[in-house]
Amino acid sequence: MAKMWAGRTSGETSKIADDFNSSISFDKKMYKQDVCGSIAHASMLAYKGIISKEESELIIDTLTEILSDVELGKLEIASDAEDIHMFIESELTNRIGDVGKKLHTARSRNDQVALDLRLYMRDETAVIVEKLKELILVIVEKAEENQDAIMPGYTHLQRAQPITFAHHLLAYAMMFMRDIDRLNDASKRMNYSPLGSCAMSGTTYPTDRDYVAKKLGFDGVTMNSIDGVSDRDYCIELLSAFSVIMMHLSRFSEEIILWQSWEFKFIELDDAFSTGSSIMPQKKNPDMAELVRGKTGRVYGDLIATLTMLKGLPLAYNKDMQEDKEAIFDGVETVIKCLDVFAPMIKTLKPLKENMYKACTQGFINATDLADYLAKKGVPFRSAYKIVGTIVGECVKKGITLEEYSLEDYKKYSAVFEEDLYQEISMETCIKKRISKGSTGYSSVKEQLEYVKEFLNE
Ligand code: ARG
C-alpha cells in the first residue's frame, strides 16, 4: 500500500518492516478518541479561517459517518493500516477526496497520538473509578451485615487481638478510597490538551489551541510544545495508581485464599466464584482470587515497561513511544477485569461467624485486655505486661486459656485481680471497650461505615 508519507522516500517498505512498524492491531482501540479529536481540530481550523466553513463541515460530517460506520460494524478497521490515525485519515480522503487532505493542516501524528491517548485514559480512568465505587459499596454492605462477627486480628499472621469482620473489611474500603483519590489526582494533571504542539515546535498557522481544548473538555492546554508531544507522565502516574489498586486487590485475594482454606475456614466462597479440580473430587478452589493475585505482576510489569521505555529518550517524539499503548491498555484491561470479578465474589461470599469466633478462643488474643485491666487498677503498664506474659506462659504449659485460669492462680501474680476480670476479657468486652477513633469497637465501626458512605455519596 502506498504510504501517506511517501515523498522523501519511495514509501516502498518491506512487508516485514510494515508489520513491525504497525500499531493498528492495538491502537484501533482509540478510534473514537481519534475521530473526536479530529472533529474538534477541523472545527478550529474553520473558526480560525484556516480552511473554509464548508470544508470543515464536510470533514466533520464525514468523520461522524466514519465513526458510526465503525460502531455499527459497517466499516472494518483495516489490519494492514499503519496506525489508527492513518486509517481514519485515509478513509476520510477516500470518501471526500482532496478536502480530506486538509484535515492534517497544523497537526502532526505526534500531537494527535498524544491527544488520543489522553482522551482514552480520561474515559477509562472514569470507568475504573466507578468500578472501585461499586466494590466499596459491596464492602460496606458486607461490613454492615457483619458488625457482630468477632474474629482474630493478626500481626505476623499470628493471632493478635479480637476484631470484627466488619472492621477488617472496612480497612479495604479505606484503601480503595485512596485509590480513587489517586486516580482523580492524576486525572487533574492529565487533563491538558497537547493538540497544536504539532510535530514538536508548534506551527506557523494562527491556530487556537484553547478552542480545541475547551471543545474536548480539557482544563487547558499544555504550555510547551516539546513537552506536549513527549510527555507520558500521566501514563506512569496512572499505571502506578493501577499497580497500587492491584496490590490492594492482591492482599485482599491472599486473605480470601487463606480464609477459604480448611486451616482457617472463615468464609465460604460462592460456587459461582470457585472451581473444582480435575482429579481431586473434594476440591473447591479460590481461582478468581488467585488469578487476581497473579495478574498483579502483569500490571507492575506494565508500569516498569513504560518507565524503562521513557528513561533514555531524547526529546521530543521517538517511535519507542508507540510502546506505551500496549502497556497502558493492558493495565486498564487487567484492572477492569479484576474489579469486575472481585465485587460479585465479595458480595456472594458467606462469612462463617462461628468458625471466626472459635478461632478467637485459642491464641490468647485477649492478653492485651488483661494487661489493660491491671493497668487500669493502678499497676504500671510495663509491669502489667510482664505479669500477663508470665500467666500466658503458665497457661500454655497447662494447655488452658486465660478464661480457664482460676482466680486463685491469678491472685498469686497480683492482688488486684478480682472476679470481674473474666467479664473484662470476654471477646465481646474486648470489642466493646475499644473506644478510640478508627478502632474495632462497635460504635467506632459504625462511624467508619458512615465515613465510607459519605465518601460514596460525594
Ligand atoms: N503510531 C504512532 C504511535 O503510537 C503514532 C505517532 C507516529 N508519529 C510519527 N512521527 N511516526 O506513537
Side-chain angles (χ1 to χ4, degrees):
M1 214 209 309
K3 299 293 180 306
M4 221 178 273
W5 41 258
R8 163 70 178 82
T9 69
S10 66
E12 304 283 328
T13 44
S14 89
K15 169 94 172 62
I16 295 175
D18 280 349
D19 289 348
F20 188 66
N21 200 32
S22 168
S23 54
I24 191 78
S25 63
F26 48 88
D27 66 17
K28 63 180 175 194
K29 249 188 230 320
M30 306 191 301
Y31 71 88
K32 192 169 167 194
Q33 288 78 12
D34 196 74
V35 170
C36 291
S38 289
I39 288 177
H41 181 65
S43 156
M44 181 278 291
L45 290 177
Y47 170 70
K48 294 298 291 181
I50 299 168
I51 62 174
S52 74
K53 200 161 170 277
E54 295 69 37
E55 288 169 332
S56 168
E57 275 169 8
L58 180 59
I59 291 174
I60 291 173
D61 289 348
T62 314
L63 284 170
T64 311
E65 237 172 64
I66 291 175
L67 178 60
S68 97
D69 285 355
V70 173
E71 260 156 13
L72 295 171
K74 284 203 246 165
L75 173 63
E76 204 183 316
I77 296 175
S79 58
D80 59 348
E82 188 174 322
D83 57 28
I84 190 63
H85 326 293
M86 290 300 207
F87 173 76
I88 304 271
E89 197 187 326
S90 70
E91 183 62 28
L92 177 72
T93 311
N94 286 346
R95 294 189 186 196
I96 59 175
D98 276 355
V99 178
K101 294 184 184 165
K102 294 196 174 186
L103 171 64
H104 211 51
T105 314
R107 189 176 73 168
S108 153
R109 263 190 299 160
N110 297 350
D111 59 342
Q112 194 179 350
V113 73
L115 173 78
D116 291 4
L117 195 55
R118 279 178 196 239
L119 288 173
Y120 178 85
M121 288 313 292
R122 192 172 70 186
D123 294 346
E124 296 304 310
T125 303
V127 170
I128 293 175
V129 165
E130 280 317 302
K131 292 193 183 284
L132 280 168
K133 283 189 184 161
E134 282 164 33
L135 175 59
I136 295 173
L137 186 63
V138 166
I139 292 173
V140 163
E141 284 166 4
K142 234 344 108 168
E144 217 144 36
E145 295 158 16
N146 288 284
Q147 297 178 66
D148 60 341
I150 300 178
M151 66 182 263
Y154 293 80
T155 64
H156 311 267
L157 201 56
Q158 304 285 315
R159 289 174 192 168
Q161 293 176 328
I163 56 169
T164 64
F165 190 48
H167 189 215
H168 196 106
L169 288 176
L170 285 170
Y172 285 104
M174 305 296 164
M175 296 177 221
F176 295 127
M177 281 158 62
R178 286 195 297 276
D179 287 335
I180 290 178
D181 277 350
R182 255 184 290 274
L183 291 175
N184 287 338
D185 189 49
S187 297
K188 262 186 254 154
R189 266 183 300 283
M190 169 172 66
N191 203 27
Y192 289 86
S193 168
L195 202 74
S197 301
C198 303
M200 54 115 26
S201 67
T203 178
T204 54
Y205 286 99
T207 52
D208 187 337
R209 295 188 56 204
D210 293 291
Y211 174 96
V212 177
K214 205 164 161 208
K215 263 204 172 323
L216 293 170
F218 285 104
D219 294 325
V221 300
T222 55
M223 280 305 287
N224 177 301
S225 62
I226 302 172
D227 179 51
V229 291
S230 310
D231 170 32
R232 296 292 184 275
D233 289 4
Y234 61 95
C235 296
I236 303 290
E237 286 194 56
L238 290 170
L239 282 167
S240 314
F242 295 168
S243 296
V244 178
I245 296 171
M246 290 304 298
M247 178 271 289
H248 288 152
L249 287 174
S250 187
R251 292 184 84 171
F252 206 166
S253 295
E254 173 68 14
E255 299 211 280
I256 303 281
I257 295 161
L258 287 172
W259 293 340
Q260 169 76 10
S261 73
W262 282 108
E263 282 69 16
F264 280 80
K265 255 301 161 250
F266 285 180
I267 58 163
E268 191 59 44
L269 285 173
D270 195 86
D271 286 0
F273 293 93
S274 328
T275 56
S277 150
S278 57
I279 170 168
M280 297 169 280
Q282 85 284 11
K283 286 305 275 299
K284 180 167 174 181
N285 294 329
D287 285 27
M288 309 307 134
E290 291 170 78
L291 267 176
V292 170
R293 190 178 57 185
K295 284 179 190 290
T296 302
R298 282 175 79 116
V299 179
Y300 294 0
D302 295 331
L303 169 63
I304 298 299
T306 310
L307 278 169
T308 311
M309 177 274 284
L310 285 168
K311 84 177 191 30
L313 294 189
L315 301 179
Y317 178 83
N318 300 269
K319 193 64 175 242
D320 313 44
M321 292 165 86
Q322 181 162 289
E323 288 290 309
D324 57 4
K325 276 161 233 67
E326 278 168 296
I328 194 99
F329 294 165
D330 183 71
V332 165
E333 277 156 30
T334 307
V335 170
I336 289 180
K337 270 192 216 157
C338 290
L339 287 171
D340 279 346
V341 78
F342 218 84
M345 178 180 72
I346 300 296
K347 197 184 172 82
T348 54
L349 70 76
K350 267 195 205 61
L352 303 177
K353 297 186 191 183
E354 276 171 34
N355 293 352
M356 290 179 181
Y357 195 83
K358 223 190 290 161
C360 294
T361 56
Q362 267 179 337
F364 306 97
I365 62 176
N366 43 6
T368 314
D369 296 81
L370 190 57
D372 283 345
Y373 168 87
L374 286 179
K376 280 177 191 159
K377 292 200 171 192
V379 182
F381 184 77
R382 271 292 151 231
S383 314
Y385 172 94
K386 194 153 186 192
I387 292 170
V388 175
T390 315
I391 294 173
V392 167
E394 275 295 302
C395 288
V396 172
K397 265 190 234 147
K398 291 191 172 168
I400 59 171
T401 65
L402 288 174
E403 290 86 338
E404 287 160 349
Y405 202 62
S406 74
L407 184 58
E408 208 184 327
D409 285 338
Y410 272 119
K411 280 199 175 290
K412 284 187 213 148
Y413 290 94
S414 169
V416 306
F417 277 125
E418 296 295 346
E419 189 63 38
D420 62 345
L421 81 90
Y422 295 102
Q423 176 56 37
E424 214 55 18
I425 63 171
S426 81
M427 296 301 151
E428 286 74 11
T429 314
C430 293
I431 301 288
K432 202 164 57 199
K433 288 221 164 162
R434 291 284 185 286
I435 50 170
S436 57
K437 222 185 176 87
S439 70
T440 204
Y442 297 116
S443 57
S444 165
V445 166
K446 283 214 178 336
E447 195 182 3
Q448 293 166 49
L449 278 167
E450 286 317 305
Y451 178 76
V452 179
K453 281 194 219 162
E454 236 166 73
F455 175 92
L456 290 179
N457 288 334
E458 259 165 33

